[in-house]
Amino acid sequence: MPLQDFATSEPLTLGVELELQLISTHDQNLVPQAEDLLRETARHTGAWDIKPEIARSMIEIGSSIQREHGPLLAELRDMRDQLVHASRRLNIGIAGGGTHAYQHWSEQQIYPGERFHYLSDLYGYLAKQFIVFGQHVHVGCPNGDDALWLLHALSRYVPHFIALAGSSPFVQGQDTGFDSARLNAVFAFPLSGRAPFVRSWSEFGTYFDKMTDTGVVKSMKDFYWDIRPKPEYGTIELRVCDTPLTVEKAAALACYLQAICRYLIQERPFEPAEDDYLVYTYNRFQACRFGLDGEVVNPQTKQRSRLRDDIVRTLAKVDAHAVDLKSWDACQQIRDSLGEGNDATWLRRLHRTGMPLSEVVETAARRWSGA
């Protein structure tokens, strides 16, 4: 399949996708009822979208095209409320979080769909271990060249979003020591990680043709990069966030990204370079492992700093842009979360009080519902 032309989008528009857990109200484990929930929500009101994901115990919801924090948050809350109402009719719960705390991958069922079965056949048990839950954020770009520039410029901010969104400390009943254990499952795939350093859409087309000629890649969907271009939408897509435990956090993360993008585009504080990626994997690991307490290296100055401090400095740089975008409240929520800790911190805090993991999952589902 040849690479399609890059569609023109209004710059800095947003689209948010959230992968959600379907929870049994009996034992709080994942429950394979995606088909039932999709039937219950088939006639939902609103411009948002709901669709299946790779497992029958998860769904994905997607917002309409948004420009500002207020309308985005209102739509996400409407999604949540309608989903929660439908799930109660089915006697199931819905939760955020990047991983389920104690589900076992071998018990999961692949959703009946051609692509999902293709992935299961190709990746074997990795497909079931890929039953993790993330937030993806699309940012509109006017053309492919600008999209690739922004993609590479954003690379140094990837650890911010991993750390802020970290909500997957538990895997198969154990505390992994990671704030985002979810990304360890993603990294197992051969086409994950960073995008190649190409600066023009024509150059990217050459790379794409070489990859399809090998037979390894059939379409853009086969790339699981941390940030990837989506030519059919005219966007770049940030894919590193765990699904937050609330829609309020999801909206804040999206609008923090939007403010950074506006800052980068309008002020051009640096020019992306291949050497920016020398510390990329190290910085990403620090964010996954230690969250906001992780240490990152600035690829230009080689200076080290705590992620929490780097986010504070970045917020100061983008505040004026957030005001212009009407998303200052979102960035203030990000600022407040630096003291409170991320969702992984909240989940661990519950468990350390002696709460069993089943009750932790139940409490997280209540938090998602807005209760």
Side-chain angles (χ1 to χ4, degrees), residues 72-301:
L72 171 62
L73 178 56
E75 184 174 55
L76 291 178
R77 283 172 170 165
D78 177 56
M79 287 187 199
R80 176 200 63 196
D81 293 346
Q82 293 197 49
L83 285 170
V84 168
H85 182 70
S87 69
R88 285 173 177 162
R89 292 198 297 266
L90 297 170
N91 197 31
I92 62 174
I94 297 179
T99 57
H100 186 277
Y102 52 88
Q103 66 89 15
H104 197 281
W105 63 267
S106 66
E107 299 170 353
Q108 300 309 308
Q109 302 173 21
I110 300 298
Y111 190 91
E114 182 178 351
R115 177 164 176 79
F116 299 139
H117 283 299
Y118 162 75
L119 293 174
S120 180
D121 291 342
L122 176 62
Y123 292 114
Y125 85 107
L126 287 179
K128 289 188 176 182
Q129 291 204 332
F130 194 49
I131 298 173
V132 291
F133 308 86
Q135 172 179 353
H136 303 161
V137 184
H138 292 261
V139 180
C141 301
N143 57 66
D145 291 355
D146 287 349
L148 290 170
W149 185 93
L150 185 58
L151 183 154
H152 295 303
L154 280 172
S155 66
R156 66 181 59 190
Y157 298 99
V158 161
H160 289 204
F161 292 92
I162 296 173
L164 287 165
S167 62
S168 52
F170 302 114
V171 174
Q172 294 186 23
Q174 300 297 317
D175 188 333
T176 63
F178 281 71
D179 277 17
S180 179
R182 163 187 164 268
L183 281 175
N184 293 329
V186 179
F187 296 161
F189 285 78
L191 298 174
S192 63
R194 50 158 286 198
F197 190 76
V198 295
R199 293 289 300 273
S200 70
W201 194 244
S202 61
E203 188 180 357
F204 185 84
T206 300
Y207 165 82
F208 183 83
D209 289 343
K210 289 179 179 179
M211 290 299 292
T212 54
D213 285 347
T214 66
V216 173
V217 168
K218 294 183 179 179
S219 74
M220 286 296 300
K221 290 183 178 180
D222 294 323
F223 295 115
Y224 293 92
W225 297 327
D226 294 344
I227 314 176
R228 70 181 179 187
K230 291 289 284 184
E232 65 270 35
Y233 297 153
T235 66
I236 57 170
E237 178 189 17
L238 180 76
R239 299 168 50 82
V240 297
C241 295
D242 289 357
T243 298
L245 299 182
T246 66
V247 294
E248 288 78 12
K249 183 70 171 286
L253 287 166
C255 291
Y256 177 50
L257 175 64
Q258 184 189 39
I260 292 176
C261 289
R262 191 176 192 265
Y263 158 72
L264 291 171
I265 292 168
Q266 293 200 355
E267 299 191 26
R268 300 268 171 159
F270 57 85
E271 194 63 24
E274 174 70 49
D275 282 358
D276 290 351
Y277 288 103
L278 291 174
V279 295
Y280 182 83
T281 302
Y282 174 83
N283 289 348
R284 186 176 60 177
F285 169 80
Q286 284 282 316
C288 290
R289 175 68 176 85
F290 301 108
L292 296 168
D293 292 324
E295 179 185 74
V296 291
V297 180
N298 184 300
Q300 287 185 317
T301 66

Side-chain angles (χ1 to χ4, degrees), residues 291-366:
L292 296 168
D293 292 324
E295 179 185 74
V296 291
V297 180
N298 184 300
Q300 287 185 317
T301 66
K302 310 303 185 289
Q303 291 181 330
R304 296 169 180 262
S305 63
R306 292 291 180 192
L307 253 172
R308 182 180 276 104
D309 298 333
D310 198 50
I311 294 170
V312 168
R313 288 190 291 269
T314 301
L315 283 165
K317 293 175 183 177
V318 306
D319 261 350
H321 296 280
V323 170
D324 290 343
L325 292 165
K326 300 181 181 179
S327 62
W328 190 88
D329 287 348
C331 286
Q332 186 59 39
Q333 184 178 340
I334 295 297
R335 187 176 281 107
D336 292 343
S337 74
L338 298 177
E340 299 164 0
N342 58 20
D343 287 340
T345 300
W346 185 84
L347 291 165
R348 283 193 174 104
R349 190 179 299 129
L350 292 181
H351 191 45
R352 285 170 181 166
T353 65
M355 184 181 289
L357 285 178
S358 59
E359 193 173 342
V360 171
V361 173
E362 184 179 23
T363 305
R366 284 201 305 269

